[in-house]
Amino acid sequence: MNKDLTGTEALLEELSAKLPDTNAKVMVSPPFVNLANAVQKLKDSEIEVIAQNMHFAENGAYTGEISANMLLNIGINTVIIGHSERRAHFGETDEILAKKVKAALANNMQVMFCFGEELEDRKSGNHFNVVESQLKNALFDLDLTAWPSIILAYEPVWAIGTGETASPEQAQEMHAFIRKTIAEAFDADIAENVSILYGGSVKPGNAEEIFSKPDVDGGLIGGASLVADDFIAIVKAI
Ligand code: PGA
């Protein structure tokens, strides 16, 4: 819940003007009310506009909610599902998230699925179990054919918006575990090909080291994405 329309437009203008020539896929995810404008603003840019959330129902009596079709209809083809703030502040359980993932896939959308442990889980050494069960509950009954439409974003909750980052080694350790878990549940090809992003206080100063880890394929950037020069520096780091 950052940036009004004026602020979003100014940020996107600066980002598209400063975007380096890169093979990296760059996506931005403004709030719902700014999405249609963002799509227009970036129509000649390589930057894709994606949504922060959606409802699982096709339409109906869900006041205040947004459906897959509403997103598709304004040119949005990718949606973030399961961000830790949705889980923590809006009661989104694994069960709800599983329904959202299925609804997005049924509408041929790409899903960026977020998950990650809380501080107590890490302190008690339970972080691998928590991550495995989040993946299992939302994704493990998908068909093999769904996987090309899934991007994973590992975001340890204790590192989001806190200024505290998982060390590059902690990120790599968890990303390797995620890939192994997916290889066991599905197959090695799927595990190898799925993009696993790291999120949680990625900044220009730490991005390169985090992205240099073999199982870290990219980042989900919060605070640093609100300042064009910082976000561009992170894009350059990938
Ligand atoms: P942060 O946010 O980069 O500010 O920690 C990450 C996120 O919101 O997913």
Side-chain angles (χ1 to χ4, degrees):
M1 201 171 71
N2 286 294
K3 303 241 184 235
D4 57 15
L5 179 59
T6 315
T8 299
E9 287 189 333
L11 178 60
L12 296 182
E13 231 158 73
E14 201 180 343
L15 284 182
S16 52
K18 292 180 173 172
L19 190 74
D21 194 16
T22 171
N23 291 330
K25 176 84 200 156
V26 181
M27 298 161 153
V28 292
S29 190
F32 280 138
V33 288
N34 303 336
L35 284 176
N37 285 76
V39 170
Q40 287 311 312
K41 191 115 212 140
L42 294 177
K43 65 180 188 307
D44 299 321
S45 154
E46 294 292 308
I47 304 176
E48 182 181 345
V49 181
I50 76 174
Q52 299 181 8
N53 180 30
M54 60 168 248
H55 197 269
F56 52 76
E58 287 296 309
N59 65 289
Y62 297 97
T63 303
E65 293 292 325
I66 300 290
S67 70
N69 185 58
M70 292 174 189
L71 295 173
L72 289 166
N73 194 241
I74 58 165
I76 306 283
N77 299 299
T78 302
V79 59
I80 299 174
I81 290 177
H83 191 280
S84 72
E85 288 149 20
R86 300 296 316 168
R87 294 172 187 260
H89 306 317
F90 303 99
E92 297 198 2
T93 59
D94 285 355
E95 199 186 356
I96 292 173
L97 298 174
K99 285 180 166 179
K100 291 189 173 200
V101 169
K102 289 205 180 75
L105 294 172
N107 281 282
N108 295 319
M109 294 183 79
Q110 176 168 246
V111 170
M112 184 181 289
F113 184 73
C114 302
F115 54 96
E117 82 283 0
E118 307 216 9
L119 186 57
E120 308 86 78
D121 304 320
R122 183 156 285 263
K123 280 189 173 153
S124 62
N126 211 25
H127 44 298
F128 294 116
N129 290 338
V130 168
V131 161
E132 186 171 0
S133 86
Q134 288 172 329
L135 289 172
K136 194 169 163 194
N137 293 341
L139 304 179
F140 277 15
D141 63 345
L142 295 179
D143 286 344
L144 290 180
T145 53
W147 280 89
S149 303
I150 305 275
I151 298 168
L152 299 176
Y154 167 61
E155 298 203 295
V157 177
W158 48 274
I160 299 177
T162 57
E164 190 155 342
T165 328
S167 68
E169 292 69 32
Q170 284 172 320
Q172 169 56 26
E173 184 187 35
M174 184 59 89
H175 283 222
F177 171 79
I178 293 162
R179 237 182 262 287
K180 179 168 99 20
T181 305
I182 289 166
E184 284 164 9
F186 291 91
D187 70 34
D189 262 10
I190 285 173
E192 194 48 44
N193 288 315
V194 69
S195 283
I196 310 178
L197 315 183
Y198 167 80
S201 299
V202 177
K203 307 281 178 223
N206 60 21
E208 200 168 329
E209 208 189 342
I210 295 171
F211 295 158
S212 72
K213 295 296 175 191
D215 286 302
V216 178
D217 300 314
L220 202 171
I221 319 303
S225 71
L226 300 174
V227 178
D229 286 336
D230 287 356
F231 189 63
I232 293 295
I234 293 168
V235 171
K236 287 181 178 156
I238 194 84

PDB file of all heavy atoms in Angstrom, residues 9-34:
ATOM      1  N   GLU A   9       2.845   6.776 -11.280  1.00  0.00           N
ATOM      2  CA  GLU A   9       3.187   7.190 -12.651  1.00  0.00           C
ATOM      3  C   GLU A   9       4.596   7.768 -12.715  1.00  0.00           C
ATOM      4  O   GLU A   9       5.362   7.466 -13.633  1.00  0.00           O
ATOM      5  CB  GLU A   9       2.157   8.202 -13.172  1.00  0.00           C
ATOM      6  CG  GLU A   9       0.846   7.509 -13.492  1.00  0.00           C
ATOM      7  CD  GLU A   9      -0.150   8.398 -14.226  1.00  0.00           C
ATOM      8  OE1 GLU A   9      -0.095   9.637 -14.061  1.00  0.00           O
ATOM      9  OE2 GLU A   9      -0.977   7.836 -14.953  1.00  0.00           O
ATOM     10  N   ALA A  10       4.932   8.562 -11.725  1.00  0.00           N
ATOM     11  CA  ALA A  10       6.275   9.172 -11.720  1.00  0.00           C
ATOM     12  C   ALA A  10       7.354   8.088 -11.586  1.00  0.00           C
ATOM     13  O   ALA A  10       8.374   8.108 -12.287  1.00  0.00           O
ATOM     14  CB  ALA A  10       6.376  10.176 -10.573  1.00  0.00           C
ATOM     15  N   LEU A  11       7.106   7.132 -10.699  1.00  0.00           N
ATOM     16  CA  LEU A  11       8.081   6.052 -10.496  1.00  0.00           C
ATOM     17  C   LEU A  11       8.243   5.225 -11.776  1.00  0.00           C
ATOM     18  O   LEU A  11       9.365   4.910 -12.195  1.00  0.00           O
ATOM     19  CB  LEU A  11       7.627   5.156  -9.330  1.00  0.00           C
ATOM     20  CG  LEU A  11       8.510   3.953  -9.009  1.00  0.00           C
ATOM     21  CD1 LEU A  11       9.925   4.364  -8.636  1.00  0.00           C
ATOM     22  CD2 LEU A  11       7.899   3.133  -7.857  1.00  0.00           C
ATOM     23  N   LEU A  12       7.124   4.878 -12.402  1.00  0.00           N
ATOM     24  CA  LEU A  12       7.200   4.037 -13.603  1.00  0.00           C
ATOM     25  C   LEU A  12       7.887   4.762 -14.758  1.00  0.00           C
ATOM     26  O   LEU A  12       8.623   4.158 -15.536  1.00  0.00           O
ATOM     27  CB  LEU A  12       5.801   3.565 -14.012  1.00  0.00           C
ATOM     28  CG  LEU A  12       5.120   2.648 -12.993  1.00  0.00           C
ATOM     29  CD1 LEU A  12       3.758   2.187 -13.494  1.00  0.00           C
ATOM     30  CD2 LEU A  12       5.988   1.441 -12.654  1.00  0.00           C
ATOM     31  N   GLU A  13       7.638   6.063 -14.854  1.00  0.00           N
ATOM     32  CA  GLU A  13       8.305   6.836 -15.903  1.00  0.00           C
ATOM     33  C   GLU A  13       9.823   6.781 -15.712  1.00  0.00           C
ATOM     34  O   GLU A  13      10.575   6.555 -16.643  1.00  0.00           O
ATOM     35  CB  GLU A  13       7.860   8.288 -15.794  1.00  0.00           C
ATOM     36  CG  GLU A  13       7.364   8.874 -17.101  1.00  0.00           C
ATOM     37  CD  GLU A  13       6.464  10.059 -16.840  1.00  0.00           C
ATOM     38  OE1 GLU A  13       6.996  11.114 -16.446  1.00  0.00           O
ATOM     39  OE2 GLU A  13       5.230   9.906 -16.987  1.00  0.00           O
ATOM     40  N   GLU A  14      10.222   6.975 -14.462  1.00  0.00           N
ATOM     41  CA  GLU A  14      11.658   6.967 -14.172  1.00  0.00           C
ATOM     42  C   GLU A  14      12.249   5.576 -14.404  1.00  0.00           C
ATOM     43  O   GLU A  14      13.334   5.429 -14.975  1.00  0.00           O
ATOM     44  CB  GLU A  14      11.879   7.438 -12.724  1.00  0.00           C
ATOM     45  CG  GLU A  14      13.285   7.951 -12.498  1.00  0.00           C
ATOM     46  CD  GLU A  14      13.530   8.434 -11.066  1.00  0.00           C
ATOM     47  OE1 GLU A  14      12.566   8.677 -10.315  1.00  0.00           O
ATOM     48  OE2 GLU A  14      14.722   8.541 -10.713  1.00  0.00           O
ATOM     49  N   LEU A  15      11.519   4.557 -13.966  1.00  0.00           N
ATOM     50  CA  LEU A  15      12.024   3.189 -14.147  1.00  0.00           C
ATOM     51  C   LEU A  15      12.171   2.852 -15.618  1.00  0.00           C
ATOM     52  O   LEU A  15      13.191   2.293 -16.030  1.00  0.00           O
ATOM     53  CB  LEU A  15      11.062   2.165 -13.512  1.00  0.00           C
ATOM     54  CG  LEU A  15      11.064   2.014 -12.004  1.00  0.00           C
ATOM     55  CD1 LEU A  15      10.072   0.925 -11.597  1.00  0.00           C
ATOM     56  CD2 LEU A  15      12.464   1.675 -11.495  1.00  0.00           C
ATOM     57  N   SER A  16      11.157   3.176 -16.419  1.00  0.00           N
ATOM     58  CA  SER A  16      11.282   2.771 -17.821  1.00  0.00           C
ATOM     59  C   SER A  16      12.364   3.582 -18.516  1.00  0.00           C
ATOM     60  O   SER A  16      13.056   3.065 -19.390  1.00  0.00           O
ATOM     61  CB  SER A  16       9.948   2.794 -18.564  1.00  0.00           C
ATOM     62  OG  SER A  16       9.330   4.013 -18.406  1.00  0.00           O
ATOM     63  N   ALA A  17      12.552   4.820 -18.105  1.00  0.00           N
ATOM     64  CA  ALA A  17      13.619   5.625 -18.728  1.00  0.00           C
ATOM     65  C   ALA A  17      15.005   5.091 -18.358  1.00  0.00           C
ATOM     66  O   ALA A  17      15.934   5.144 -19.158  1.00  0.00           O
ATOM     67  CB  ALA A  17      13.489   7.077 -18.297  1.00  0.00           C
ATOM     68  N   LYS A  18      15.130   4.550 -17.153  1.00  0.00           N
ATOM     69  CA  LYS A  18      16.459   4.137 -16.681  1.00  0.00           C
ATOM     70  C   LYS A  18      16.727   2.632 -16.804  1.00  0.00           C
ATOM     71  O   LYS A  18      17.810   2.170 -16.451  1.00  0.00           O
ATOM     72  CB  LYS A  18      16.622   4.551 -15.205  1.00  0.00           C
ATOM     73  CG  LYS A  18      16.679   6.058 -15.033  1.00  0.00           C
ATOM     74  CD  LYS A  18      16.850   6.457 -13.574  1.00  0.00           C
ATOM     75  CE  LYS A  18      17.066   7.960 -13.445  1.00  0.00           C
ATOM     76  NZ  LYS A  18      17.059   8.419 -12.039  1.00  0.00           N
ATOM     77  N   LEU A  19      15.738   1.876 -17.290  1.00  0.00           N
ATOM     78  CA  LEU A  19      15.908   0.412 -17.350  1.00  0.00           C
ATOM     79  C   LEU A  19      17.108   0.050 -18.225  1.00  0.00           C
ATOM     80  O   LEU A  19      17.186   0.447 -19.378  1.00  0.00           O
ATOM     81  CB  LEU A  19      14.637  -0.230 -17.923  1.00  0.00           C
ATOM     82  CG  LEU A  19      14.585  -1.749 -17.811  1.00  0.00           C
ATOM     83  CD1 LEU A  19      14.302  -2.172 -16.367  1.00  0.00           C
ATOM     84  CD2 LEU A  19      13.515  -2.329 -18.736  1.00  0.00           C
ATOM     85  N   PRO A  20      18.051  -0.718 -17.681  1.00  0.00           N
ATOM     86  CA  PRO A  20      19.202  -1.093 -18.506  1.00  0.00           C
ATOM     87  C   PRO A  20      18.821  -2.181 -19.505  1.00  0.00           C
ATOM     88  O   PRO A  20      17.781  -2.829 -19.353  1.00  0.00           O
ATOM     89  CB  PRO A  20      20.191  -1.634 -17.470  1.00  0.00           C
ATOM     90  CG  PRO A  20      19.349  -2.116 -16.345  1.00  0.00           C
ATOM     91  CD  PRO A  20      18.106  -1.264 -16.330  1.00  0.00           C
ATOM     92  N   ASP A  21      19.666  -2.359 -20.499  1.00  0.00           N
ATOM     93  CA  ASP A  21      19.485  -3.453 -21.430  1.00  0.00           C
ATOM     94  C   ASP A  21      19.817  -4.730 -20.661  1.00  0.00           C
ATOM     95  O   ASP A  21      20.942  -4.884 -20.193  1.00  0.00           O
ATOM     96  CB  ASP A  21      20.467  -3.228 -22.592  1.00  0.00           C
ATOM     97  CG  ASP A  21      20.122  -4.102 -23.751  1.00  0.00           C
ATOM     98  OD1 ASP A  21      18.994  -4.623 -23.782  1.00  0.00           O
ATOM     99  OD2 ASP A  21      20.998  -4.285 -24.620  1.00  0.00           O
ATOM    100  N   THR A  22      18.866  -5.610 -20.481  1.00  0.00           N
ATOM    101  CA  THR A  22      19.088  -6.760 -19.600  1.00  0.00           C
ATOM    102  C   THR A  22      18.287  -7.967 -20.063  1.00  0.00           C
ATOM    103  O   THR A  22      17.223  -7.816 -20.666  1.00  0.00           O
ATOM    104  CB  THR A  22      18.666  -6.412 -18.147  1.00  0.00           C
ATOM    105  OG1 THR A  22      18.699  -7.602 -17.358  1.00  0.00           O
ATOM    106  CG2 THR A  22      17.260  -5.832 -18.055  1.00  0.00           C
ATOM    107  N   ASN A  23      18.818  -9.152 -19.761  1.00  0.00           N
ATOM    108  CA  ASN A  23      18.042 -10.373 -20.007  1.00  0.00           C
ATOM    109  C   ASN A  23      17.094 -10.654 -18.864  1.00  0.00           C
ATOM    110  O   ASN A  23      16.261 -11.545 -18.941  1.00  0.00           O
ATOM    111  CB  ASN A  23      18.968 -11.576 -20.132  1.00  0.00           C
ATOM    112  CG  ASN A  23      19.772 -11.499 -21.400  1.00  0.00           C
ATOM    113  OD1 ASN A  23      19.310 -10.949 -22.391  1.00  0.00           O
ATOM    114  ND2 ASN A  23      20.991 -12.037 -21.363  1.00  0.00           N
ATOM    115  N   ALA A  24      17.248  -9.925 -17.754  1.00  0.00           N
ATOM    116  CA  ALA A  24      16.401 -10.185 -16.587  1.00  0.00           C
ATOM    117  C   ALA A  24      14.963  -9.795 -16.905  1.00  0.00           C
ATOM    118  O   ALA A  24      14.713  -8.821 -17.615  1.00  0.00           O
ATOM    119  CB  ALA A  24      16.903  -9.381 -15.389  1.00  0.00           C
ATOM    120  N   LYS A  25      14.046 -10.578 -16.385  1.00  0.00           N
ATOM    121  CA  LYS A  25      12.622 -10.243 -16.515  1.00  0.00           C
ATOM    122  C   LYS A  25      12.302  -9.268 -15.387  1.00  0.00           C
ATOM    123  O   LYS A  25      12.501  -9.585 -14.214  1.00  0.00           O
ATOM    124  CB  LYS A  25      11.820 -11.527 -16.387  1.00  0.00           C
ATOM    125  CG  LYS A  25      10.339 -11.333 -16.400  1.00  0.00           C
ATOM    126  CD  LYS A  25       9.822 -11.252 -17.807  1.00  0.00           C
ATOM    127  CE  LYS A  25       8.452 -10.593 -17.834  1.00  0.00           C
ATOM    128  NZ  LYS A  25       8.144  -9.991 -19.120  1.00  0.00           N
ATOM    129  N   VAL A  26      11.804  -8.089 -15.730  1.00  0.00           N
ATOM    130  CA  VAL A  26      11.494  -7.081 -14.705  1.00  0.00           C
ATOM    131  C   VAL A  26       9.986  -6.902 -14.627  1.00  0.00           C
ATOM    132  O   VAL A  26       9.310  -6.695 -15.642  1.00  0.00           O
ATOM    133  CB  VAL A  26      12.174  -5.733 -15.033  1.00  0.00           C
ATOM    134  CG1 VAL A  26      11.857  -4.706 -13.954  1.00  0.00           C
ATOM    135  CG2 VAL A  26      13.686  -5.920 -15.173  1.00  0.00           C
ATOM    136  N   MET A  27       9.464  -7.028 -13.417  1.00  0.00           N
ATOM    137  CA  MET A  27       8.025  -6.872 -13.192  1.00  0.00           C
ATOM    138  C   MET A  27       7.795  -5.837 -12.100  1.00  0.00           C
ATOM    139  O   MET A  27       8.614  -5.721 -11.183  1.00  0.00           O
ATOM    140  CB  MET A  27       7.429  -8.197 -12.702  1.00  0.00           C
ATOM    141  CG  MET A  27       7.557  -9.338 -13.689  1.00  0.00           C
ATOM    142  SD  MET A  27       7.347 -10.902 -12.814  1.00  0.00           S
ATOM    143  CE  MET A  27       6.718 -11.924 -14.128  1.00  0.00           C
ATOM    144  N   VAL A  28       6.684  -5.116 -12.195  1.00  0.00           N
ATOM    145  CA  VAL A  28       6.320  -4.191 -11.117  1.00  0.00           C
ATOM    146  C   VAL A  28       4.884  -4.479 -10.704  1.00  0.00           C
ATOM    147  O   VAL A  28       4.066  -4.919 -11.512  1.00  0.00           O
ATOM    148  CB  VAL A  28       6.442  -2.711 -11.534  1.00  0.00           C
ATOM    149  CG1 VAL A  28       7.896  -2.332 -11.746  1.00  0.00           C
ATOM    150  CG2 VAL A  28       5.617  -2.412 -12.771  1.00  0.00           C
ATOM    151  N   SER A  29       4.594  -4.230  -9.444  1.00  0.00           N
ATOM    152  CA  SER A  29       3.289  -4.622  -8.929  1.00  0.00           C
ATOM    153  C   SER A  29       2.658  -3.494  -8.102  1.00  0.00           C
ATOM    154  O   SER A  29       2.703  -3.518  -6.877  1.00  0.00           O
ATOM    155  CB  SER A  29       3.472  -5.890  -8.089  1.00  0.00           C
ATOM    156  OG  SER A  29       2.227  -6.425  -7.761  1.00  0.00           O
ATOM    157  N   PRO A  30       2.079  -2.520  -8.796  1.00  0.00           N
ATOM    158  CA  PRO A  30       1.432  -1.411  -8.077  1.00  0.00           C
ATOM    159  C   PRO A  30       0.108  -1.858  -7.456  1.00  0.00           C
ATOM    160  O   PRO A  30      -0.401  -2.924  -7.784  1.00  0.00           O
ATOM    161  CB  PRO A  30       1.164  -0.373  -9.173  1.00  0.00           C
ATOM    162  CG  PRO A  30       1.765  -0.894 -10.435  1.00  0.00           C
ATOM    163  CD  PRO A  30       1.979  -2.363 -10.254  1.00  0.00           C
ATOM    164  N   PRO A  31      -0.449  -1.025  -6.583  1.00  0.00           N
ATOM    165  CA  PRO A  31      -1.760  -1.339  -5.996  1.00  0.00           C
ATOM    166  C   PRO A  31      -2.846  -1.443  -7.081  1.00  0.00           C
ATOM    167  O   PRO A  31      -2.707  -0.874  -8.161  1.00  0.00           O
ATOM    168  CB  PRO A  31      -2.048  -0.131  -5.095  1.00  0.00           C
ATOM    169  CG  PRO A  31      -0.716   0.497  -4.837  1.00  0.00           C
ATOM    170  CD  PRO A  31       0.107   0.225  -6.054  1.00  0.00           C
ATOM    171  N   PHE A  32      -3.925  -2.147  -6.752  1.00  0.00           N
ATOM    172  CA  PHE A  32      -4.991  -2.405  -7.733  1.00  0.00           C
ATOM    173  C   PHE A  32      -5.432  -1.158  -8.494  1.00  0.00           C
ATOM    174  O   PHE A  32      -5.554  -1.189  -9.704  1.00  0.00           O
ATOM    175  CB  PHE A  32      -6.232  -2.980  -7.025  1.00  0.00           C
ATOM    176  CG  PHE A  32      -6.135  -4.449  -6.719  1.00  0.00           C
ATOM    177  CD1 PHE A  32      -6.575  -4.939  -5.497  1.00  0.00           C
ATOM    178  CD2 PHE A  32      -5.646  -5.350  -7.656  1.00  0.00           C
ATOM    179  CE1 PHE A  32      -6.515  -6.296  -5.208  1.00  0.00           C
ATOM    180  CE2 PHE A  32      -5.579  -6.715  -7.380  1.00  0.00           C
ATOM    181  CZ  PHE A  32      -6.016  -7.185  -6.145  1.00  0.00           C
ATOM    182  N   VAL A  33      -5.703  -0.065  -7.756  1.00  0.00           N
ATOM    183  CA  VAL A  33      -6.290   1.108  -8.440  1.00  0.00           C
ATOM    184  C   VAL A  33      -5.351   1.729  -9.459  1.00  0.00           C
ATOM    185  O   VAL A  33      -5.789   2.506 -10.306  1.00  0.00           O
ATOM    186  CB  VAL A  33      -6.762   2.218  -7.460  1.00  0.00           C
ATOM    187  CG1 VAL A  33      -8.006   1.791  -6.706  1.00  0.00           C
ATOM    188  CG2 VAL A  33      -5.658   2.640  -6.509  1.00  0.00           C
ATOM    189  N   ASN A  34      -4.075   1.396  -9.400  1.00  0.00           N
ATOM    190  CA  ASN A  34      -3.119   1.981 -10.344  1.00  0.00           C
ATOM    191  C   ASN A  34      -2.717   1.020 -11.462  1.00  0.00           C
ATOM    192  O   ASN A  34      -1.906   1.371 -12.326  1.00  0.00           O
ATOM    193  CB  ASN A  34      -1.857   2.444  -9.595  1.00  0.00           C
ATOM    194  CG  ASN A  34      -2.187   3.443  -8.500  1.00  0.00           C
ATOM    195  OD1 ASN A  34      -3.210   4.119  -8.573  1.00  0.00           O
ATOM    196  ND2 ASN A  34      -1.356   3.530  -7.488  1.00  0.00           N
TER     197      ASN A  34
END
